[in-house]
Amino acid sequence: MYTFILSLVILILGYVFYGKYVDKVFGSDNSRPTPAIAQPDGVDYVPLSTFKSLFIQFLNVVGTGPIFGAIAGVMFGPMAFVWIVLGCIFAGAVHDFFSGMLSVRMKGATVGEIVGNNLGEFARQVMRIFSIILLVLVGVVFLTSPAQILTTLVCGKMNANVYNIFIVVIFVYYILATILPVDKLIGRLYPLFGLALFFMAVGISISLIYMNVTGKYYTPEITELANKINYNSKFTLFPFLFISIACGAISGFHATQSPIIARCIKTEADGRKVFYAAMIGEGIVAVIWAAAAITLFGGTDHTIAAHLTGLAAAGKAPVVVNKVAKITLGSVGSVLAVLGVVAAPITSGDTAFRGARLSIADMLHLDQKSIKHRYMIAIPLFIVGGILSQVDFNIIWRYFAWSNQTLAMIGLWSASTWLMKRKKNYLITLIPAIFMTLVCISYIIIAPEGFGRFFVDANKNITAQGSLISFIIAAIVAIIAIVVFFKSKARCERENSYIED
């Protein structure tokens, strides 16, 4: 229980202190007009209050990732709490802040344009395509996962007919949210979604603490790491933990969402209060679900092994979600809690397709004031999304997870270059960029969806040799990236081509 509470406290302190330092390094300037003030269009560039901007940004980024990812990641043991807290404060929130604020400085530019301005034209073209693919994958993931949860809630198990009905209803909502002005549907429905999500987070947290105090359940502590670092018998801690828990610690998907609100905040001072704070909020959601998952399935044997065995036996993530809600909040409360969980992916899925529309519009230079132009982009996107929704969820999720972290890696390198060219402290983004490079490259070498089939034994377990090879390759790639970065820095110094804000 102490680890759970301490994790929540550290996340909040991270926002207060490190978030303020990151904002100082960036150099927020309220004398600069934001895109919402300088170029309002009534569709995407719409001035919103700080609270509403934070609310929408938080719901945009909190999908099923910090819930499903935390449930999967906690199978590695208490190390999951360490990664969520440190990853969120020093990597994820920093990444989100720069994704949003660089968009603000570049007139609401989407992630492909931001990366292109910092890393060159080739990177721009790659990121345009990569980000659009990721957004469609996100839209599909967050179309199917809430439908699964709702079906399980209504039927007690998966039912194909009910599942398809929920798919159609959610799909129609996504179309409307993609086409209509940001304040017409999203701005009005999100407060309701947010209330459900808030009830879920607070209700489960209080219930977990009460259950620990009364001795009914036991939440494993971080001190257990003295006995064993990795409790997952199938996968190595590195890099699999850092891919399993993506959205709760760092997520490249957020870089595709931040420009939506970068076009709506009124002053640059809102940056930390919106972009950095929203990621801290997602970290809190991830900690809550990691704690709930590892706590509630251990029976009377208070060992981590028993807890994880019970969690594995509970079933897939949507089933675990329903069971956790029912155990902690009872039959009535569990319905409200599950609706809060459902709100999370729906409020990310709708803006995923919206973000894809904006990215394509930026790439094609299509004015989005015209509803005709919006439909020209949105209709093909939803046709592709509808086709992909028929693919097995687990396959989509695996590719989404790696693509997600790879996009975060590139975003951090881009931010590092932006800082370096302005003689600012680039280490706050460079260090997490290097770490995520090691994670992403190592993962794709040994993961099943990558080249993993070449590095497994007869029982399809990853060999020690395979893990070593993957890390060596990742280290080589990281070293090359570091050399290129510092060569660019040396060229800036030699040519005195630093940029003044």
Side-chain angles (χ1 to χ4, degrees):
M1 180 181 70
Y2 298 108
T3 298
F4 170 54
I5 295 173
L6 185 61
S7 296
L8 298 177
V9 171
I10 292 174
L11 283 168
I12 294 170
L13 292 176
Y15 165 75
V16 173
F17 294 105
Y18 195 66
K20 188 174 293 184
Y21 175 71
V22 170
D23 186 46
K24 182 179 178 181
V25 171
F26 174 80
S28 294
D29 182 359
N30 283 347
S31 67
R32 293 172 174 266
T34 62
I37 302 301
Q39 56 198 75
D41 68 355
V43 178
D44 297 311
Y45 294 85
V46 179
L48 297 176
S49 67
T50 304
F51 175 76
K52 186 168 280 191
S53 294
L54 169 60
F55 212 71
I56 294 175
Q57 173 72 5
F58 174 65
L59 290 171
N60 283 356
V61 301
V62 180
T64 47
I67 300 171
F68 286 13
I71 292 171
V74 83
M75 296 299 291
F76 291 88
M79 185 57 76
F81 292 105
V82 177
W83 169 232
I84 291 170
V85 172
L86 297 183
C88 186
I89 294 171
F90 296 106
V94 174
H95 167 271
D96 287 13
F97 175 84
F98 277 94
S99 297
M101 292 309 294
L102 291 184
S103 179
V104 169
R105 287 285 174 92
M106 298 178 190
K107 300 181 179 180
T110 50
V111 62
E113 312 311 308
I114 295 170
V115 170
N117 286 352
N118 292 315
L119 300 182
E121 193 59 32
F122 176 75
R124 185 193 311 277
Q125 301 304 330
V126 170
M127 283 301 291
R128 280 173 169 174
I129 297 170
F130 193 79
S131 62
I132 292 169
I133 291 173
L134 176 63
L135 281 165
V136 174
L137 288 177
V138 169
V140 173
V141 165
F142 293 157
L143 170 66
T144 57
S145 57
Q148 288 177 340
I149 296 172
L150 286 169
T151 303
T152 304
L153 176 65
V154 172
C155 302
K157 60 181 180 179
M158 285 304 297
N159 179 294
N161 292 329
V162 176
Y163 171 77
N164 287 330
I165 291 172
F166 280 124
I167 285 286
V168 171
V169 172
I170 296 170
F171 204 69
V172 170
Y173 166 72
Y174 282 1
I175 292 172
L176 294 174
T178 300
I179 297 298
L180 294 176
V182 69
D183 59 336
K184 299 303 181 186
L185 185 61
I186 290 175
R188 293 178 180 178
L189 286 182
Y190 272 32
L192 298 176
F193 289 139
L195 286 174
L197 191 60
F198 177 79
F199 175 83
M200 175 273 293
V202 173
I204 292 177
S205 298
I206 293 174
S207 183
L208 283 177
I209 294 171
Y210 174 78
M211 289 176 172
N212 272 270
V213 170
T214 58
K216 188 175 182 180
Y217 289 94
Y218 166 73
T219 303
E221 304 290 356
I222 196 174
T223 52
E224 305 276 0
L225 293 175
N227 302 320
K228 194 174 184 180
I229 297 294
N230 180 19
Y231 286 80
N232 194 310
S233 59
K234 185 175 182 181
F235 295 113
T236 56
L237 193 71
F238 186 92
F240 288 95
L241 169 64
F242 307 101
I243 294 291
S244 297
I245 302 180
C247 298
I250 178 171
S251 169
F253 162 65
H254 298 183
T256 66
Q257 299 297 284
S258 293
I260 295 174
I261 296 303
R263 302 180 183 204
C264 297
I265 64 172
K266 293 180 179 179
T267 69
E268 288 197 353
D270 285 345
R272 180 176 72 97
K273 301 170 187 175
V274 172
F275 302 117
Y276 198 98
M279 182 62 215
I280 294 296
E282 182 171 275
I284 289 172
V285 172
V287 165
I288 291 169
W289 278 96
I294 203 173
T295 298
L296 301 176
F297 299 94
T300 56
D301 186 357
H302 290 167
T303 65
I304 291 182
H307 282 253
L308 298 182
T309 299
L311 177 59
K316 295 183 178 180
V319 178
V320 171
V321 165
N322 281 283
K323 288 185 177 180
V324 166
K326 192 168 185 178
I327 292 171
T328 56
L329 300 172
S331 298
V332 176
S334 68
V335 174
L336 295 175
V338 170
L339 290 177
V341 175
V342 170
I346 286 178
T347 54
S348 292
D350 58 5
T351 48
F353 284 110
R354 189 180 186 91
R357 173 176 67 78
L358 296 180
S359 295
I360 294 172
D362 277 1
M363 183 170 62
L364 300 178
H365 304 292
L366 274 178
D367 179 15
Q368 293 299 282
K369 283 185 180 180
S370 166
I371 194 168
K372 176 183 175 182
H373 288 172
R374 281 177 258 160
Y375 275 116
M376 283 172 58
I377 297 173
I379 290 174
L381 279 176
F382 282 107
I383 290 173
V384 173
I387 294 171
L388 288 177
S389 69
Q390 303 306 306
V391 178
D392 179 50
F393 173 82
N394 292 322
I395 295 174
I396 295 290
W397 179 263
R398 288 200 300 267
Y399 283 102
F400 157 68
W402 177 78
S403 301
N404 188 39
Q405 299 301 67
T406 301
L407 183 59
M409 172 194 79
I410 298 171
L412 287 167
W413 281 108
S414 173
S416 300
T417 302
W418 188 90
L419 289 168
M420 178 270 292
K421 289 180 177 179
R422 288 158 178 79
K423 293 186 178 180
K424 297 176 183 285
N425 180 12
Y426 52 78
L427 292 178
I428 62 173
T429 52
L430 181 64
I431 292 173
I434 294 170
F435 180 76
M436 292 310 299
T437 300
L438 292 172
V439 168
C440 293
I441 301 302
S442 178
Y443 180 83
I444 201 62
I445 297 298
I446 57 174
E449 60 270 26
F451 302 97
R453 62 184 179 277
F454 300 112
F455 301 104
V456 294
D457 58 23
N459 296 319
K460 294 187 177 181
N461 292 321
I462 299 168
T463 64
Q465 183 184 27
S467 295
L468 179 61
I469 291 172
S470 71
F471 186 80
I472 290 173
I473 294 173
I476 291 172
V477 173
I479 290 170
I480 292 172
I482 293 168
V483 169
V484 171
F485 177 83
F486 281 103
K487 277 190 173 183
S488 177
K489 181 176 183 291
R491 185 169 60 252
C492 281
E493 292 173 344
R494 185 172 60 251
E495 299 175 357
N496 194 26
S497 57
Y498 287 107
I499 299 172
E500 295 293 334
D501 283 328

